[in-house]
Structure formats: C-alpha cells, structure tokens
Amino acid sequence: MMYTCLSPSMLITVKVSSEQSVNFLEEMASSASPSATAAAVMAVLVAAAVCLHGAAAQLCEDYYADTCPDAYDIVKQVLIEAHESDTRIYASLLRLHFHDCFVQGCDGSLLLDSVPGMESEKDSRPNNGSARGFPVVDDVKAALEDACPGVVSCADILAIAAEISVELSGGPSWGVLLGRLDSKTSNFAASQNLPAPFDNLTTLQGKFSAVGLHDVDLVALSGGHTFGRVQCANVAFPPADRLYNFSGTGMPDPTLDSAYAAFLSQRCPRNGDRTSLNDLDPTTPDTFDNHYYTNIEMNRGFLISDQELKSSAEAQGTTAPIVDQFATSQEAFFASFAQSMINMGNIQPLTDPSQGEVRINCRKVN
C-alpha cells in the first residue's frame, strides 16, 4: 500500500519564516555545489508544503485510497438519507466533530457510551440533552463496516461527516485529512470545559488558544452557527439569559437588538420550556452562508458567545475586524472556515496503534 502520508519521523522540522528560508538558501548557494543547492531548495519547499497543507503525524487526504476507496461516498449517501427525515442533522454532525476535537483531540472519544469506571463525554453538561446525531454515526459506521471491515475510524467518520454536512448545506468543501485512530477512553472532566454559549470573549480566546487555535479560528468556527437549532435554555435561562436578567441586571442584554429581543421573548417566554428550539440564523436557518456575521453586525447574534465576537470591548482590534470581513465577504469566510476546520482536525490526532484503535462499534472500545 502506498500513502502520501508523512509519519513524524519523515517530517522535516523547518519552523522558519519565508525570509529565513531565503537567507538559508542564499547561504547554501554561496558554499555548495549546484546539485546540493537544488537539493536544499527542494527540502525547504517540501517542508513548507507540508506545513501549509496542515499535515500532522500520518494524516493525509488519501489515507483510505487503497483500503476503503469509496469511504467518502458511503458516508455522503448515509447523510443524504438521514437528512430526508431530519433537516437539523448536518448542523448536528458538524457540532459533534467540534465537541470531539476540543476534548483530548479528534479521537472519537465523544462517541463512547458510559461504562462502569468511565463516564461518557455525552453525559457532561455541554453535551447532555443537546449533542445529537449519534444514531446517524452508527449508521455510517455500519455501512463502512459492510464495505471495508475494521478500516475507517470513528474519529475520521466525524471529520468526513462534518465536511460533507457543510458542503451539502451550501458551504465550502476542503480536503479532509484522515488517518486518525479512535481513543480507548472518554474524558468527562475535560468535556465540562468546552466553549460555552455564555462564555465571554476572553474565556473563548483562552479555550481556543489552549488547543492551538487563534482568533481567526475562533471567529471562523463560530460561523458554524449559521445553520442549525438552539434551545431556549441558551438565551432565556441563567447563565445564558439575554432576555430577562442579563448578568443579574434584571434587564435584557443591551447588545441585543430590541426587535430581535422581542421576537425571542415570544419564542422563549420567561419560565417557559427550556428545550424549545429556535433557528440560530433566522434568515437562512438551514443554509451554510455568511449571514451569521451579518446578523451579528445588526446585534442579532443569538448566543452571548456570538455577539461577544463583535460587541465586546475586547473584540475591538481583535475579533471584531474579522467579523466585519466575513460579513462583507462570504468568500473570505468560506476560505477561512475551511482552513480552520483543517486546523481543528489536527488537534492532537491519535495515530499511535499502541494508544488507539479502529473501533468496530463507535459506542464502545473493541
């Protein structure tokens, strides 16, 4: 089998700026033969290409080219069929990948059910009662096991499903890097600290920075809220109350557009049903576009964490200009979102066979 993947031992460690690379080449050219100089040029170009491609460990786009060549199409077909009866499923699957990657890396740990001695991430506060789409992941896994048993990991299923879900909703496509293994453990404690809908900007930046992501990633990945649904608990109840008692003031959030606040108050009345669903984007609720940012520009972000990207004092000069750019240019948003999804997919990829496995059933270790 031949993969174009690079293992850690094959990577050339060249963490230099383009200017430093040029200086390095100039020095080589002055002291080496033409053939040696050419080799040095090629080494730097290869290293740069690896860095730009976002490869980490053994991740690469064609990881399953020989072992399960139809994997992408199989996942896509299952998702299309699921969407026929559940228009929310694409947004839900994107969220599963996000919640998986932010807890001990993109390793499928979110998919494990609780067993004695190990509490599932599914049961933590950020996931319990809101993370959904697990039966569809089971269906995808079953279809892949029929086609190529024991080959495609559950962690990679989440990565592929996220890309397909975005593309089928009108968003960008990107080359999904593959080759992750599945973890044998879940991390309930760490999942309690996922980015939350009531987090302020400083907290959000800290949580993203902790996994190697930065302001552009934060703003771009938050754009995943451009489709899907959200419960009233995240806008009308503490600690996320923006309608009735924002930050203990007894008043609505002052950054929330008054007309939108009145609309949401009808949808989520005081002491009403916490689980009632609302569109994250009231303009195009099932389409992946840049309306998330145009809504924020009009103070119509649904969540505290959404509006913080633009209205927080700390956002000025940091995240607010990025929101402005994405609101103006959907093309810029799509390009950044695709790159940020690749960046997120590279959070601590599990590729060591002594630490991970390809689960046969995504809900339990083999």
Side-chain angles (χ1 to χ4, degrees):
M1 301 177 190
M2 291 294 293
Y3 298 140
T4 58
C5 309
L6 297 177
S7 68
S9 61
M10 295 169 63
L11 289 175
I12 304 172
T13 305
V14 182
K15 294 184 178 179
V16 296
S17 68
S18 57
E19 181 179 353
Q20 290 172 311
S21 297
V22 171
N23 292 338
F24 165 74
L25 294 178
E26 289 176 346
E27 292 173 6
M28 285 294 296
S30 64
S31 60
S33 66
S35 59
T37 301
V41 171
M42 182 59 66
V44 171
L45 290 177
V46 169
V50 169
C51 294
L52 290 173
H53 186 56
Q58 298 156 344
L59 302 188
C60 58
E61 292 181 34
D62 58 353
Y63 187 82
Y64 298 112
D66 294 325
T67 55
C68 196
D70 296 325
Y72 185 93
D73 291 335
I74 291 170
V75 177
K76 187 173 185 178
Q77 185 57 44
V78 174
L79 264 58
I80 290 173
E81 293 173 1
H83 186 259
E84 292 175 357
S85 59
D86 182 2
T87 57
R88 300 171 55 196
I89 193 61
Y90 292 156
S92 298
L93 291 171
L94 174 62
R95 184 171 181 240
L96 287 186
H97 185 42
F98 182 96
H99 280 217
D100 181 48
C101 289
F102 265 71
V103 178
Q104 69 183 28
C106 310
D107 60 359
S109 59
L110 172 62
L111 303 175
L112 289 170
D113 288 340
S114 291
V115 295
M118 185 187 73
E119 191 167 9
S120 172
E121 295 167 23
K122 296 177 183 177
D123 297 331
S124 68
R125 180 177 178 180
N127 293 319
N128 190 18
S130 60
R132 61 188 302 275
F134 300 109
V136 175
V137 175
D138 294 338
D139 291 342
V140 170
K141 182 60 175 174
L144 288 169
E145 286 298 308
D146 285 344
C148 28
V151 172
V152 182
S153 69
C154 301
D156 277 349
I157 287 174
L158 290 181
I160 297 169
E163 190 276 339
I164 291 172
S165 294
V166 169
E167 184 180 7
L168 291 179
S169 300
S173 61
W174 59 91
V176 182
L177 303 183
L178 302 168
R180 302 168 189 82
L181 294 175
D182 298 320
S183 70
K184 300 177 183 180
T185 61
S186 190
N187 194 332
F188 176 86
S191 67
Q192 298 277 39
N193 196 42
L194 281 161
F198 48 81
D199 281 344
N200 62 33
L201 179 58
T202 301
T203 301
L204 290 169
Q205 289 173 318
K207 291 180 178 181
F208 273 69
S209 177
V211 294
L213 301 178
H214 305 291
D215 282 353
V216 173
D217 300 307
L218 166 58
V219 179
L221 293 174
S222 295
H225 291 167
T226 192
F227 65 164
R229 309 292 183 269
V230 61
Q231 296 179 4
C232 285
N234 292 310
V235 75
F237 292 84
D241 188 352
R242 303 187 70 197
L243 299 179
Y244 306 110
N245 188 25
F246 177 69
S247 296
T249 62
M251 301 290 291
D253 183 345
T255 67
L256 184 61
D257 174 74
S258 59
Y260 190 42
F263 169 76
L264 291 178
S265 295
Q266 293 179 343
R267 300 277 307 173
C268 301
R270 189 190 298 267
N271 300 321
D273 183 356
R274 297 174 58 93
T275 63
S276 291
L277 295 175
N278 303 268
D279 297 327
L280 274 164
D281 174 5
T283 57
T284 52
D286 297 311
T287 301
F288 197 96
D289 53 28
N290 72 331
H291 289 187
Y292 168 80
Y293 303 101
T294 58
N295 291 336
I296 291 176
E297 296 274 302
M298 297 185 294
N299 292 328
R300 293 191 171 197
F302 190 97
L303 304 173
I304 291 174
S305 59
D306 294 331
Q307 199 61 48
E308 280 280 303
L309 300 176
K310 172 66 178 179
S311 300
S312 168
E314 292 75 17
Q316 311 316 307
T318 57
T319 56
I322 306 171
V323 171
D324 296 340
Q325 180 190 24
F326 292 167
T328 303
S329 172
Q330 181 165 280
E331 182 179 1
F333 164 48
F334 279 9
S336 292
F337 184 84
Q339 184 58 56
S340 290
M341 286 297 293
I342 293 171
N343 295 345
M344 185 182 75
N346 279 334
I347 298 174
Q348 299 175 2
L350 179 57
T351 57
D352 184 351
S354 69
Q355 300 295 319
E357 63 184 9
V358 175
R359 290 186 216 135
I360 304 303
N361 180 337
C362 291
R363 293 176 179 266
K364 60 183 182 180
V365 299
N366 294 339

